[in-house]
Amino acid sequence: MSKQILLYLSLIGINLIYACTAIFTKSASQHQFLSLSYILWLVGAVGVMGVYALLWQQVIKRMPIAEAYMFKGTSLIFVLLLSALIFGEAITLSNIIGAVVIIVGIVIYARA
């Protein structure tokens, strides 16, 4: 597997980690404000963001920042999918169209 493909796969994985912060914060919102469970979910979100930040820095050392940023949109797709799986949220036609636009944009940029 080429180094470039490995970096792209790493970016996708890193953005999955980033998407998990949305899951942690949504979980926190389902608990009473400043309760122990609320605080623990938020601490988890900050921890996940810390892991994401460390991994993100490692990737952008190895590739142009513009190229790395094109994958940021994948985190929105992951949030959509994780929200449906974990919280039972509906995926609408607008969500699907948005996800397709993101994927098409990444593919067009990557092939250019």
Side-chain angles (χ1 to χ4, degrees):
M1 186 177 303
S2 78
K3 182 179 178 182
Q4 194 70 15
I5 291 173
L6 189 58
L7 278 173
Y8 288 157
L9 291 175
S10 297
L11 278 169
I12 292 170
I14 290 167
N15 285 318
L16 175 59
I17 292 169
Y18 179 73
C20 290
T21 61
I23 302 306
F24 275 75
T25 55
K26 176 147 179 129
S27 295
S29 74
Q30 296 177 341
H31 295 274
Q32 185 173 344
F33 183 66
L34 294 180
S35 66
L36 179 61
S37 55
Y38 174 87
I39 292 170
L40 289 174
W41 280 110
L42 288 182
V43 167
V46 171
V48 170
M49 282 299 290
V51 169
Y52 161 77
L54 292 172
L55 295 172
W56 175 253
Q57 293 300 316
Q58 295 306 307
V59 168
I60 62 173
K61 278 199 249 180
R62 294 166 174 80
M63 70 186 329
I65 190 80
E67 198 172 325
Y69 261 100
M70 78 175 171
F71 281 89
K72 293 292 277 181
T74 60
S75 63
L76 298 173
I77 296 169
F78 289 134
V79 168
L80 174 69
L81 295 174
L82 290 171
S83 295
L85 290 172
I86 296 170
F87 301 111
E89 294 183 3
I91 297 177
T92 66
L93 179 60
S94 296
N95 296 139
I96 294 169
I97 291 169
V100 168
V101 168
I102 290 168
I103 293 168
V104 168
I106 291 170
V107 169
I108 289 171
Y109 186 85
R111 298 183 131 231

